[in-house]
Amino acid sequence: MNEIWHRNANELFKLGILSNLEFPFNLDFEKRNDVESIHGNGYFYLTFKNEPIYIGISAGNEDVIESRIKKQLETITLRSSRISFSPRASHCIHELENFSGINIDRIDVGCVTTRKKVLFANENWEVFSELSDENLADFDFYWFSIPSASKTEVKLIADRAKNYLKPRCNG
């Protein structure tokens, strides 16, 4: 059965400050204990202040919240201890005043941000630089479970949604 699931980001995660790391990469996005895992085939979208900003897919047994949603939130806000930068993002960030002097030489642990996400973070840095459990509420997640669909079919549906909604952080 197909189902739609919606949660606000502060219902899913709590932020922990990692005192041994330098700002802005000093936050840990911890999944709340009372949040059930989501598994299976489907697609999701992330909104910021009700604007769709990212659409992604999941296919398989991984926990969508932990493996996909958390990663997108971390790379879009540029506040996670886990993020690294694609070559285009590395070039772009050096040109932005909000990030001057920030050391972006980071080890790639599979949580790579992109140029579009850097530009989005820059545009919203007033909020993201002060990211807290309260303003994490500006993000909402929607999960569309399609258990009978193949990964190819899920990707096709998500691609159509991307073409229609044009989320700024994809690509």
Side-chain angles (χ1 to χ4, degrees):
M1 177 174 147
N2 298 350
E3 68 180 79
I4 300 172
W5 184 89
H6 166 250
R7 293 291 183 280
N8 187 266
N10 68 359
E11 294 176 89
L12 300 176
F13 301 101
K14 60 183 175 180
L15 296 173
I17 297 175
L18 302 169
S19 59
N20 60 327
L21 296 177
E22 290 186 34
F23 174 86
F25 311 117
N26 62 338
L27 291 183
D28 183 31
F29 292 71
E30 302 171 48
K31 182 179 168 189
R32 293 186 181 272
N33 292 333
D34 60 343
V35 176
E36 291 186 36
S37 297
I38 300 173
H39 301 277
N41 293 351
Y43 73 100
F44 65 91
Y45 69 91
L46 165 64
T47 65
F48 179 69
K49 297 183 178 181
N50 297 317
E51 175 192 351
I53 59 170
Y54 187 85
I55 296 173
I57 68 168
S58 182
N61 292 325
E62 63 191 13
D63 178 4
V64 175
I65 296 168
E66 194 65 45
S67 67
R68 299 291 292 128
I69 295 174
K70 176 180 176 177
K71 179 179 176 180
Q72 297 311 320
L73 188 59
E74 290 172 314
T75 59
I76 287 169
T77 63
L78 302 185
R79 292 302 315 276
S80 170
S81 62
R82 300 183 331 136
I83 69 166
S84 59
F85 294 81
S86 72
R88 289 187 69 206
S90 294
H91 178 73
C92 169
I93 200 166
H94 289 299
E95 299 173 357
L96 302 172
E97 188 176 322
N98 281 327
F99 304 109
S100 66
I102 292 176
N103 180 4
I104 63 164
D105 294 329
R106 309 189 47 77
I107 297 170
D108 180 356
V109 295
C111 195
V112 180
T113 196
T114 63
R115 179 182 178 278
K116 286 185 177 184
K117 291 176 183 177
V118 166
L119 293 173
F120 186 80
N122 183 61
E123 182 181 318
N124 294 284
W125 195 242
E126 186 174 317
V127 173
F128 296 170
S129 67
E130 300 291 328
L131 199 60
S132 66
D133 290 335
E134 289 87 32
N135 58 21
L136 199 56
D138 289 334
F139 291 94
D140 284 288
F141 297 97
Y142 298 84
W143 167 250
F144 300 86
S145 175
I146 315 172
S148 61
S150 69
K151 184 175 182 177
T152 302
E153 292 168 325
V154 171
K155 185 177 179 332
L156 180 63
I157 293 167
D159 286 346
R160 286 183 179 162
K162 287 179 203 175
N163 287 336
Y164 179 73
L165 294 172
K166 302 193 183 332
R168 293 194 287 157
C169 294
N170 277 96

